[in-house]
Amino acid sequence: VITAELREWRGRAIPLEGKQIHDVVDDLSRKYIDVEVEAEFKRGQYEGTRSLDTKRFRVVGVRNEDADDYHLYITNLPREEFLPADLATLYRCRWEVETLFRELKTQYELDEFDTNNPDVVKILLYAALLSLLVSRELLDLVTEQADDEIVFPPERWAATFRSHAQLILHELGEYLGYSPPPLLERLIEDAQKIHQQRPILQETLATATQPRCES
C-alpha cells in the first residue's frame, strides 16, 4: 500500500496515497514512480503461530517506453542520495552480475568441478574465467562487424561461442602460424605405448595363456 509520494508532479497528477501500487501502475504515464509503501508479511513461526507485521520501503518505477510499462525496484536507499535513474542503473548492474555467474555455470561448468584437489580446482576456475574473457572479446569484435540493428544476447552468444570453440581454435592456430601435425601422425603419437619395457595387459595375458613349448 502506498503511504507517501516522494516526488511532486505538476498538473492533474493521479494521487497515489492509500492505493495498491499494482492497481494504479497501468494508469500512469509519468516517467518515474517514487513512493513509500507499507508491505504486510508473515513473520517466522514462533510457538506454533505466525504473526503478521508490516515494514516500509521505497519503491521506484522507471518507465520502459518500448514495452509501455514500468520496471519496479524496491529499496531502502534514500531519495536524497539516489534518484530513480540511479537505482535503475544499480539494479541493472546487479542483474549483470547474476547473469555473468549463470553463464559461467551453464556454459563453462563453474559449478561442476568433480575433484577435491585445490590445484585442479584453480586450473578449472582460471580456464572458465579465461574462456569467458575470450568469449566477450570476440563478442565485441563480432558486434563491430555486424549491422547496427543486430542484437546479441550474452547467454545466446555464450552458447554459440562454446559450440564453435574447436573451429575458432583451428582458425586461430592457422592465423598465428601454428600448423597442427597431420591427423595420422597425431593418432600414432598419442596412442603409442610410452614405456617400451612395460607390456600392455593384452600382451601379458596372451603370453601367459600360450602353451609352453617342449624342450
Side-chain angles (χ1 to χ4, degrees), residues 43-200:
R43 289 194 171 275
Q45 190 168 342
Y46 179 73
E47 295 184 349
T49 60
R50 299 182 65 184
S51 60
L52 288 175
D53 203 348
T54 60
K55 194 171 182 65
R56 293 196 175 190
F57 299 97
R58 178 188 177 196
V59 171
V60 168
V62 178
R63 188 164 186 80
N64 181 2
E65 297 294 344
D66 294 335
D68 194 26
D69 62 5
Y70 287 92
H71 291 164
L72 296 173
Y73 309 98
I74 187 167
T75 182
N76 57 1
L77 297 177
R79 187 180 185 281
E80 293 77 17
E81 299 180 32
F82 297 91
L83 297 176
D86 300 329
L87 288 172
T89 301
L90 288 173
Y91 271 81
R92 190 160 53 247
C93 291
R94 285 188 63 181
W95 185 243
E96 285 289 330
V97 174
E98 295 292 335
T99 57
L100 184 69
F101 274 95
R102 186 169 64 189
E103 180 180 334
L104 283 167
K105 291 178 180 180
T106 58
Q107 299 300 329
Y108 307 116
E109 301 179 355
L110 190 64
D111 59 342
E112 297 181 7
F113 294 164
D114 189 17
T115 178
N116 293 323
N117 187 319
D119 294 325
V120 176
V121 170
K122 288 181 181 180
I123 292 172
L124 295 174
L125 177 62
Y126 283 125
L129 294 175
L130 288 171
S131 298
L132 176 67
L133 180 61
V134 172
S135 173
R136 291 304 173 88
E137 287 292 327
L138 190 57
L139 175 58
D140 290 341
L141 178 62
V142 170
T143 303
E144 291 178 2
Q145 298 298 321
D147 295 335
D148 294 338
E149 64 272 11
I150 298 179
V151 177
F152 299 100
E155 291 190 64
R156 182 176 178 86
W157 164 259
T160 304
F161 170 77
R162 179 174 178 174
S163 65
H164 291 75
Q166 291 298 325
L167 180 59
I168 294 172
L169 285 174
H170 178 74
E171 295 286 337
L172 182 61
E174 287 193 346
Y175 174 77
L176 296 175
Y178 297 109
S179 299
L183 179 58
L184 182 58
E185 292 184 14
R186 292 183 61 183
L187 292 174
I188 294 174
E189 179 68 24
D190 292 344
Q192 65 179 285
K193 184 170 62 177
I194 300 176
H195 301 287
Q196 297 297 330
Q197 72 278 11
R198 183 184 301 169
I200 61 175

Side-chain angles (χ1 to χ4, degrees), residues 1-9 15-22 24 28 30 32-40 54-61 72-80 82 84 87:
V1 178
I2 299 173
T3 58
E5 293 192 59
L6 304 179
R7 177 171 179 162
E8 295 183 359
W9 294 90
L16 302 181
E17 290 186 23
K19 299 179 181 179
Q20 296 274 353
I21 190 165
H22 285 290
V24 298
L28 301 176
R30 61 189 67 172
Y32 300 114
I33 300 172
D34 199 353
V35 296
E36 181 187 77
V37 302
E38 185 176 79
E40 186 179 79
T54 60
K55 194 171 182 65
R56 293 196 175 190
F57 299 97
R58 178 188 177 196
V59 171
V60 168
L72 296 173
Y73 309 98
I74 187 167
T75 182
N76 57 1
L77 297 177
R79 187 180 185 281
E80 293 77 17
F82 297 91
L87 288 172

